[in-house]
Amino acid sequence: MKIAIIGAGNMGGALALGLAQSGQLAAEDICVSNPHSDKLDALKTAVAGLRTTTDNTECASGADMVILAVKPWKVEAVVKELLPVLVGSGAAVASLAAGITLGQLEQWLGGTCGGLYTMIPNTAIACGEGMTFIASKGSTAELDAQLTELLGTMGDAMLVEERQMEAGMALASCGIAYALRYVRAATEGGVQLGFRAADAQRIVASTIRGAAALLADGAHAEAEIDRVCTPGGRTIRGLNAMEEGGFTNAVVQGLLASVSH
């Protein structure tokens, strides 16, 4: 599969790095376009053989899938720019832009491509630990499975209904910031407890990796919490103190605030 990524910003650049490092595609089969060459130069330095250009149509020409990694307000203009290349090409088109619907893509493209996708990855895709949500329209089950498997090599990928995309973004894309805010808070607590800041962050990061590994092995979060909470012990006292501060409610309210109304 040859993939063109239009845009080399945070998401486009992270996706390009993740795809190149996944081992599923040759670097030469990935092309990234961007109006300014500085970000392209950084990608070429990071990945030998990656194709880059400042010409969007050149990048999209001959691609099996064109991924639009531009700001939401730029998507329509970029689609119109690419139409001469996309018409009759059979290429699938995917958008990473939040708020852009499959219906809008269909309206702008006029049914000229081989399947439409909206995808929401998070920035951890660059280091092979991303979480990507995918919704499709007018594609095939085979292409859906191929794309889900490909993105899954960079962490995890889930094919969902389009109506679930915003919730997925709150949990996983915004969720990166929420998880890191916990790391920051716990690190500050570690400093107050007597560790240097760098050591405290190392401890917290290692602990989060361990918790995630337990979940990946099939553990249930609440069951693992119960294993740590001995009656009258330190952990249950700490958890209860966090709940008195509104921990769970703050998390839920933050997620709800992340979804547009």
Side-chain angles (χ1 to χ4, degrees):
M1 177 184 285
K2 293 185 177 181
I3 293 181
I5 301 173
I6 311 300
N10 290 337
M11 284 282 61
L15 181 61
L17 290 173
L19 286 171
Q21 294 166 3
S22 71
Q24 302 300 303
L25 295 173
E28 294 77 11
D29 289 334
I30 305 168
C31 182
V32 186
S33 65
N34 198 67
H36 306 293
S37 60
D38 53 340
K39 293 181 179 179
L40 297 177
D41 292 341
L43 286 173
K44 289 177 68 175
T45 299
V47 181
L50 186 74
R51 294 188 297 121
T52 63
T53 176
T54 56
D55 187 327
N56 291 339
T57 56
E58 177 187 340
C59 187
S61 181
D64 299 306
M65 173 168 283
V66 177
I67 300 175
L68 308 174
V70 298
K71 300 297 185 183
W73 58 87
K74 294 182 178 180
V75 173
E76 183 177 6
V78 171
V79 167
K80 289 180 179 179
E81 177 188 0
L82 295 177
L83 269 177
V85 174
L86 295 175
V87 172
S89 69
V93 176
S95 170
L96 301 185
I100 299 299
T101 67
L102 292 169
Q104 286 175 299
L105 289 177
E106 186 175 44
Q107 179 183 354
W108 296 332
L109 286 160
T112 61
C113 56
L116 298 174
Y117 291 91
T118 177
M119 305 188 307
I120 299 178
N122 61 21
T123 52
I125 201 169
C127 58
E129 292 294 345
M131 179 69 232
T132 305
F133 298 93
I134 309 162
S136 67
K137 185 173 186 178
S139 61
T140 64
E142 291 76 15
L143 185 56
D144 287 352
Q146 184 180 9
L147 183 59
T148 303
E149 182 179 0
L150 175 62
L151 294 173
T153 63
M154 295 174 279
D156 198 358
M158 185 180 295
L159 189 66
V160 300
E161 297 178 28
E162 187 177 11
R163 64 180 179 83
Q164 297 174 299
M165 294 296 278
E166 273 201 311
M169 182 169 60
L171 283 168
S173 299
C174 302
I176 286 283
Y178 303 154
L180 292 176
R181 179 55 62 89
Y182 167 78
V183 170
R184 178 178 173 182
T187 298
E188 290 177 358
V191 172
Q192 189 169 347
L193 291 169
F195 283 101
R196 291 188 175 91
D199 291 336
Q201 179 172 300
R202 174 185 172 188
I203 293 165
V204 176
S206 181
T207 302
I208 288 178
R209 282 197 301 271
L214 288 171
L215 296 177
D217 283 343
H220 188 281
E222 198 62 36
E224 291 300 318
I225 290 171
D226 289 343
R227 288 182 61 191
V228 181
C229 291
T230 55
R234 298 166 181 260
T235 308
I236 191 61
R237 293 201 302 271
L239 284 174
N240 286 340
M242 290 180 184
E243 290 302 331
E244 287 177 13
F247 181 80
T248 297
N249 184 63
V251 172
V252 173
Q253 291 304 313
L255 291 169
L256 293 176
S258 303
V259 179
S260 62
H261 296 287

